[in-house]
Amino acid sequence: MNRKTLALPAVIGLVAPLIAACGGSDGGSDDTSLKVGTTDRISASAEAPAPLDPAYAYDVGSWNILRQSLQTLLVQPRGGGDPQPEAAEHCAFTDTGNERYSCTLRKDLKFADGGPVTADDVKYSVERVLRIDSESSVAGLLSTVDTVETRGDREVVFHLNSADATFPYKLSTPVAAIVDPDEYPEDRLLDGFSVHGSGPYTMEAQVEDGTLAKAVFTRNPNYRGSLDVRNGRAELVAFETAEAMGTAIAGGDIDVMSRTLTPDQVNELDAKPDDGIEVVEMSGLDIRYLAFDTDAPAVQNKAVRQAIAQIVDRNELVARVYGAQSEPLYSLVPASLPGHSNAFLNKYGEPSAAKAAKILDEAGISTPVPLDLHFTVDHYGSATAEEFDVLADQLNASGLFTVGDPKGAPWKEFRPASLKGKYEVWGMGWFPDFPDADNYLAPFLDKKNFLGSPYANSKVQQVLIPRSRREPDRMDAAPSLTEVQDIVAEDVPVLPLWQGKQYIAARDDVTGTAYALNSSSTLQLWELGKGVGSE
């Protein structure tokens, strides 16, 4: 088997493992060029004309573009742990209540065009996101920001409206990226595919039919930050299918396959130890779940949602579709994070059509209940279609639901439609903004949630989430987080399905693959190089 398994920590506060990048740091140079494949399809449309504006972008594909070309005050370390300074020289809470956070910028920060980066630019960038407050709900990550103050050219102070121990992590995400005020309008989104920042690369977009076909990253000579850039140029090439991406790496047209490899591809590459391509397996924190429009007539009664939760067999789903590459998940919070509880397993136990029938009967729901399932065909990998066929089969086999063929749509249509309430039940994935249980709960349950869901629970929003954020030691937040998960299992506004691992495949002359992805599924192109060496 030619697979490397890397157990990178996913828990806040753990020390980064002492794993050397593939081949060390001697393989990368200004003239090193790499081509990386992806199946992420980033499109501009009338419904979503600004896919790469940090005030709108809120999916892993778009963020992976922004992380290469925009700079944040803090960055999540290559191997895990607390955020570390990036554009900042130093950041810290300056009060005992976690309500005032100050950062001092590095000296001589510059945008890619050579213009200076100042504290006023940081203030502008954050306030712009909050002012625009786009329908993607990405501004919700900054919901605890009350005011932003600058002190001279290098110090910026965030005054929060409530305690938020997770705030440093939020500053490490692209929503808090520093943008050039001369390029980004103050009160509207920047349409198209341009990105203007101070990150490790500049980006040139090659667009075909409104979709990003290739993002060409060139090392930014004006970059000042903490990242060690190990190549001079990296091209991120979009493929329509994982199979086409696999053909490209086999033919030497690309050097690396990133997300998303199919389960079959991982198994096939493992079985070929001498083909010059290596699979790297890393711990992942991505999850898949069903979302419900709790105002839709078919699922408005929570008994219907509870019955679905009682029927779905996660073990069968994982075994039939993903095998050892994922595991059943019984909460929105992955099993490896502090604060996780098996809330759905505790409430529903093993799958049972008889128990589901009792739930529906006691609620006076006539059966079979007609139901439509929706999924995206090009955002989470080609196995998604098979996954939804299995879910439909399970619900139909119970005799309590009538589910037609699941309906698939490309992400550029799927995401706007879900936000506009056109689906009653749809499948989504979540790649964490940062590795903390809060980021698996608040985005779905807080005000202006990521799903555009009408579901709201006042205790969750007004008591439990704020209480959990007051705890600097995240283990101390577990009681509040557990109660939130119990409420989710009772009301079922979402239904967690499985937690995945993450993989890349690379030709054997590529170095740095150990850190090509971090635990939040961030693509770290700056880690990759070419050379001779081994881990």
Side-chain angles (χ1 to χ4, degrees):
M1 177 180 293
N2 61 329
R3 178 192 300 186
K4 291 186 179 181
T5 301
L6 304 171
L8 302 185
V11 180
I12 287 179
L14 289 183
V15 177
L18 300 177
I19 302 176
C22 294
S25 61
D26 57 349
S29 65
D30 284 335
D31 58 359
T32 301
S33 181
L34 298 112
K35 293 183 179 181
V36 179
T38 179
T39 58
D40 286 325
R41 307 287 288 174
I42 302 170
S43 301
S45 63
E47 294 81 8
L52 294 182
D53 191 318
Y56 178 84
Y58 203 9
D59 65 88
V60 66
S62 298
W63 273 21
N64 278 339
I65 299 291
L66 298 182
R67 288 185 188 273
Q68 321 305 319
S69 41
L70 296 180
Q71 198 172 19
T72 47
L73 292 169
L74 300 168
V75 67
Q76 295 175 38
R78 62 198 317 233
D82 293 331
Q84 301 298 313
E86 213 304 67
E89 178 179 273
H90 172 76
C91 289
F93 282 107
T94 58
D95 66 330
T96 57
N98 292 339
E99 293 184 358
R100 187 171 64 247
Y101 196 77
S102 175
C103 290
T104 301
L105 297 178
R106 294 177 185 270
K107 294 179 180 179
D108 300 322
L109 279 181
K110 296 179 181 180
F111 287 111
D113 65 4
V117 176
T118 68
D120 285 337
D121 298 321
V122 177
K123 174 181 170 70
Y124 178 91
S125 300
V126 170
E127 290 182 342
R128 175 178 180 270
V129 170
L130 294 171
R131 185 183 303 110
I132 292 174
D133 192 17
S134 72
E135 67 175 6
S136 73
S137 299
V138 70
L141 279 173
L142 302 176
S143 63
T144 55
V145 174
D146 186 15
T147 59
V148 185
E149 174 192 2
T150 60
R151 298 175 181 174
D153 288 340
R154 293 179 55 209
E155 186 178 2
V156 58
V157 181
F158 300 92
H159 299 274
L160 308 184
N161 53 39
S162 60
D164 188 359
T166 70
F167 189 66
Y169 270 95
K170 294 170 181 176
L171 289 183
S172 74
T173 67
V175 70
I178 307 167
V179 300
D180 187 342
D182 291 337
E183 301 289 347
Y184 288 80
E186 181 178 7
D187 55 3
R188 62 179 176 82
L189 296 171
L190 179 64
D191 292 352
F193 297 91
S194 296
V195 182
H196 306 275
S198 56
Y201 298 97
T202 60
M203 192 276 287
E204 177 186 352
Q206 297 184 15
V207 181
E208 297 177 2
D209 298 325
T211 296
L212 186 63
K214 182 188 294 184
V216 180
F217 297 100
T218 303
R219 183 185 292 198
N220 174 12
N222 288 318
Y223 171 67
R224 305 287 186 273
S226 63
L227 303 176
D228 182 12
V229 183
R230 299 168 183 247
N231 58 71
R233 176 185 171 96
E235 297 181 9
L236 189 62
V237 184
F239 290 88
E240 290 191 4
T241 65
E243 289 73 20
M245 183 168 59
T247 299
I249 196 170
D253 296 324
I254 61 174
D255 302 293
V256 179
M257 294 171 65
S258 62
R259 50 165 287 159
T260 306
L261 283 70
T262 68
D264 286 344
Q265 284 177 319
V266 173
N267 292 333
E268 289 170 5
L269 289 170
D270 272 345
K272 301 175 182 178
D274 300 318
D275 62 359
I277 300 172
E278 182 176 70
V279 176
V280 181
E281 175 188 307
M282 290 160 276
S283 59
L285 291 174
D286 62 300
I287 68 170
R288 297 295 186 276
Y289 59 95
L290 290 180
F292 297 93
D293 179 352
T294 54
D295 279 351
V299 294
Q300 187 174 37
N301 192 315
K302 77 175 182 181
V304 175
R305 307 192 300 270
Q306 289 177 333
I308 295 172
Q310 185 65 73
I311 290 168
V312 168
D313 188 335
R314 295 168 177 82
N315 286 303
E316 181 193 38
L317 176 66
V318 166
R320 285 179 57 179
V321 182
Y322 297 103
Q325 296 161 31
S326 65
E327 57 185 332
L329 181 63
Y330 296 93
S331 169
L332 283 173
V333 180
S336 52
L337 287 182
H340 164 83
S341 74
N342 286 317
F344 277 82
L345 184 62
N346 295 340
K347 180 169 179 60
Y348 298 98
E350 295 300 317
S352 170
K355 290 181 180 179
K358 183 178 180 182
I359 291 171
L360 294 172
D361 182 62
E362 290 179 349
I365 304 294
S366 299
T367 58
V369 177
L371 205 62
D372 289 324
L373 299 180
H374 297 264
F375 67 96
T376 177
V377 298
D378 60 355
H379 199 65
Y380 301 121
S382 58
T384 307
E386 183 181 357
E387 175 182 346
F388 272 74
D389 286 340
V390 172
L391 289 169
D393 288 346
Q394 290 180 354
L395 292 170
N396 284 327
S398 72
L400 302 173
F401 292 90
T402 302
V403 182
D405 291 336
K407 299 176 175 62
W411 181 253
K412 66 180 181 180
E413 299 172 7
F414 176 85
R415 177 63 173 151
S418 67
L419 288 172
K420 292 177 180 177
K422 293 186 178 181
Y423 304 147
E424 55 193 23
V425 187
W426 67 102
M428 291 287 288
W430 184 251
F431 298 83
D433 307 323
F434 53 89
D436 186 277
D438 176 270
N439 192 238
Y440 290 86
L441 299 172
F444 308 106
L445 305 172
D446 216 344
K447 299 173 183 177
K448 298 183 179 180
N449 63 78
F450 166 75
L451 296 171
S453 170
Y455 174 80
N457 182 288
S458 59
K459 186 174 184 181
V460 169
Q461 293 180 353
Q462 298 171 21
V463 179
L464 297 175
I465 289 177
R467 181 191 297 165
S468 73
R469 289 174 174 168
R470 287 196 289 269
E471 301 294 346
D473 185 335
R474 303 307 290 156
M475 293 298 293
D476 292 339
S480 297
L481 297 170
T482 297
E483 189 171 351
V484 174
Q485 291 166 84
D486 289 341
I487 290 172
V488 172
E490 170 65 28
D491 292 350
V492 201
V494 292
L495 179 63
L497 297 172
W498 56 268
Q499 172 182 348
K501 300 175 183 178
Q502 53 185 1
Y503 300 87
I504 65 166
R507 303 198 66 83
D508 55 14
D509 63 341
V510 176
T511 63
T513 54
Y515 297 110
L517 295 172
N518 71 9
S519 62
S520 297
S521 298
T522 297
L523 183 62
Q524 302 178 138
L525 291 177
W526 56 85
E527 295 284 357
L528 298 175
K530 285 187 177 180
V532 179
S534 61
E535 295 174 293

